[in-house]
Amino acid sequence: MDRTIDVHTHYVPRGWPDLTAEAGPEAPWLRIESESDAMIMMGSREFRRIQADAWDAGTRLRDMDADGVHRQVVSPTPAFFTYGRSGAEAAKVSRIFNDLALEITAPAPDRLIPFCQVPLQDPDAACRELERSIANGHRGVEIGNHVGDRDLDSEGVVTFLQHCASLDVPVFVHPWDMASSPRLDRWMAQWLTAMPAETHLSILALILGGVFDRIDDRLKICFAHGGGSFAFWLGRMENAWHGRRDVIGTSERPPSHYLGRFYVDSVVFDDRALRLLVDTVGADRVMVGSDYPYPLGERPVGEVVRKSSFLDDRSRELITHGNAERFLGLTGP
């Protein structure tokens, strides 16, 4: 079997308790339409149509086998983070979904690797839920790229990231809650422009916010969607850091100094984009990701990496599984 590890997939349980008390009138719930189809609802609003591959381990495993994927990280769907509510309310939501995630991955513990969610707006509660989840069988944590107007360099988030580093828990950062305007309502423009920008901004926050200067290199952190637009605009960041250090130079070193401090996934869909990404962050910092099971993901999983015209065998091995084994603390198949 192929040793490919997919570090970017999501799950949705096939139902959960009423969350109105914790999440308010826009609380998520699942409208079941058939044995294999459902609609995620946000209060009375339709949010996203899903199928059995979101909750059924058997369906996932069949798709993994078809795509040559040996292991899969199974992370929350960001719409359920509940960062806008109190820490106590979000903690209850996190516990419910984290426990349901373990039920989804239980049929194949050697292949399905659960990542938890936490109430990131409350650092103490987030650390407690992280510890509970890891003790119960979660391997890592997925967080959103911001909490309200606070980016990843805010004190509370840094405290949480330090705790992850001390426990050797890998962190997967996923964009969510993108800016909205009439100009972004066409063509799924939030997903096509705002999502890459949000991911880029979250990497900037860790670099220019001095987070990498404050947290030691035990922190294992990965950014979704190829790091967004970061790789293309690193030169612009570098130029600004040197040209306007009075404004930009809030990190101890120039942005390029921190390239070895984070991972990105490979969901860029194009060999030329993958080449830029690998040339920028290094073949030892890219991991296969797919965004499975959502329709804007890559299928077959890892196809761009496998068919790449520029990767040598060693780099391909690192990207398909070697880097993920190190990120996840695995020793191989």
Side-chain angles (χ1 to χ4, degrees):
M1 177 181 287
D2 197 311
R3 294 174 64 183
T4 297
I5 300 173
D6 183 353
V7 301
H8 180 181
T9 84
H10 301 284
Y11 76 89
V12 178
R14 195 175 188 271
W16 52 85
D18 180 21
L19 299 176
T20 305
E22 292 77 25
E26 291 295 306
W29 58 282
L30 198 65
R31 190 178 74 203
I32 303 295
E33 299 185 345
S34 74
E35 284 297 313
S36 59
D37 294 277
M39 175 67 72
I40 301 174
M41 302 293 295
M42 295 295 181
S44 60
R45 176 174 58 92
E46 293 184 347
F47 175 72
R48 178 178 295 164
R49 186 171 299 282
I50 60 171
Q51 285 77 42
D53 49 13
W55 63 75
D56 181 65
T59 303
R60 282 180 175 266
L61 293 170
R62 287 192 293 273
D63 287 346
M64 290 166 65
D65 290 344
D67 289 2
V69 174
H70 178 47
R71 288 185 169 119
Q72 185 187 80
V73 172
V74 183
S75 291
T77 293
F80 306 140
F81 284 155
T82 324
Y83 290 167
R85 307 289 290 188
S86 72
E89 290 167 329
K92 184 173 180 180
V93 173
S94 293
R95 286 194 298 270
I96 289 170
F97 280 101
N98 290 339
D99 291 347
L100 290 170
L102 294 177
E103 295 180 12
I104 292 171
T105 59
D110 57 331
R111 300 188 65 188
L112 301 177
I113 302 171
F115 269 34
C116 64
Q117 67 183 65
V118 296
L120 196 60
Q121 67 270 51
D122 184 331
D124 291 338
C127 290
R128 287 194 299 270
E129 181 57 23
L130 178 75
E131 293 175 1
R132 189 193 76 91
S133 297
I134 296 300
N136 287 343
H138 286 267
R139 185 69 62 83
V141 60
E142 180 189 69
I143 63 172
N145 69 302
H146 66 103
V147 178
D149 291 328
R150 292 177 290 153
D151 284 308
L152 298 187
D153 59 328
S154 67
E155 287 301 317
V157 177
V158 172
T159 296
F160 176 74
L161 293 176
Q162 287 172 330
H163 196 54
C164 291
S166 69
L167 297 178
D168 194 30
V169 173
V171 180
F172 187 70
V173 181
H174 197 286
W176 84 297
D177 193 30
M178 285 87 70
S180 179
S181 78
R183 295 174 58 231
L184 293 172
D185 288 341
R186 301 186 296 168
W187 318 307
M188 295 190 74
Q190 278 193 324
W191 278 260
L192 299 179
T193 64
M195 190 168 280
E198 286 286 351
T199 306
H200 182 171
L201 182 58
S202 60
I203 300 176
L204 256 65
L206 292 188
I207 294 175
L208 299 182
V211 179
F212 286 135
D213 296 323
R214 298 162 58 190
I215 298 180
D216 65 48
D217 57 11
R218 288 181 297 170
L219 177 65
K220 295 187 293 188
I221 189 166
C222 176
F223 294 87
H225 309 131
S229 49
F230 173 84
F232 193 84
W233 290 115
L234 175 60
R236 184 176 180 86
M237 293 170 57
E238 195 85 354
N239 179 67
W241 193 91
H242 288 286
R244 287 300 310 271
R245 286 200 62 184
D246 56 322
V247 177
I248 304 298
T250 50
S251 57
E252 292 179 4
R253 305 286 186 89
S256 61
H257 174 80
Y258 303 94
L259 286 174
R261 293 298 304 275
F262 60 91
Y263 296 85
V264 296
D265 72 19
S266 65
V267 195
V268 294
F269 306 101
D270 185 275
D271 191 49
R272 295 162 297 182
L274 182 65
R275 179 190 287 270
L276 174 63
L277 189 62
V278 171
D279 285 348
T280 302
V281 305
D284 62 337
R285 291 286 155 174
V286 182
M287 302 182 287
V288 164
S290 69
D291 216 351
Y292 177 96
Y294 295 131
L296 295 187
E298 183 188 39
R299 292 292 308 275
V301 175
E303 187 80 347
V304 172
V305 172
R306 289 193 188 94
K307 293 184 174 180
S308 170
S309 62
F310 71 92
L311 290 174
D312 58 30
D313 290 343
R314 177 56 180 158
S315 296
R316 208 182 314 272
E317 288 178 0
L318 286 173
I319 294 170
T320 56
H321 61 89
N323 297 332
E325 288 169 0
R326 184 171 69 250
F327 179 71
L328 296 167
L330 303 174
T331 56

